[in-house]
Amino acid sequence: MPFALALTVILGLLAIFQLALALGAPWGRFAWGGQHRVLPTRLRIGSLVAIVIYAAVVVIAYDRLGAIDVFPEGFSIVAMWVVVAYFALGIVMNALSRSKPERYAMVPISIVLAILSFLIALGYGSLAMAA
């Protein structure tokens, strides 16, 4: 399950970043369009929501691979493809950002997340494949 582990590590680091933003860290130029040094309240709430989304993605990924059994199999397969689309959209959105720091930092991260999600959606690294 190296793909799921890599996804978990990257999303864990992004969750720490988003938590720091929500708590007022002056890193806003790397997120949410890069228009604010310190995020306003609505974007801080958005950062907290992002953390919840990251956690849900990790659960879906591990469920898809058979490491945990939380959802029906059909749901986790479809949900993982939704995750792929989410991260693919993230590539586009980050590439369109007016903030150079956000583009340079987040586009490569989004590409890696999209690739990892794609491989997981295909079932690579699943326990069924290992058996």
Side-chain angles (χ1 to χ4, degrees), residues 38-50:
V38 175
L39 298 181
T41 302
R42 66 181 174 80
L43 293 179
R44 289 181 186 206
I45 292 168
S47 286
L48 294 174
V49 170

Side-chain angles (χ1 to χ4, degrees), residues 14 21 29 33 39 42 48 60 77 80 86-87 90 101-102 119 128:
L14 284 174
L21 288 173
R29 69 182 184 272
L39 298 181
R42 66 181 174 80
L48 294 174
I60 291 166
I77 290 170
M80 199 64 221
Y86 174 78
F87 287 130
E102 182 176 19
L119 294 171

Side-chain angles (χ1 to χ4, degrees), residues 3-78:
F3 302 128
L5 180 58
L7 185 79
T8 302
V9 169
I10 294 168
L11 290 177
L13 293 171
L14 284 174
I16 293 167
F17 171 70
Q18 293 289 358
L19 181 60
L21 288 173
L23 295 174
W27 304 332
R29 69 182 184 272
F30 292 99
W32 300 108
Q35 302 301 308
H36 306 279
R37 186 174 159 274
V38 175
L39 298 181
T41 302
R42 66 181 174 80
L43 293 179
R44 289 181 186 206
I45 292 168
S47 286
L48 294 174
V49 170
I51 294 168
V52 173
I53 292 170
Y54 298 158
V57 167
V58 169
V59 171
I60 291 166
Y62 281 96
D63 190 82
R64 168 66 183 102
L65 296 176
I68 60 175
D69 188 17
V70 178
F71 306 112
E73 183 179 0
F75 176 85
S76 63
I77 290 170
V78 171

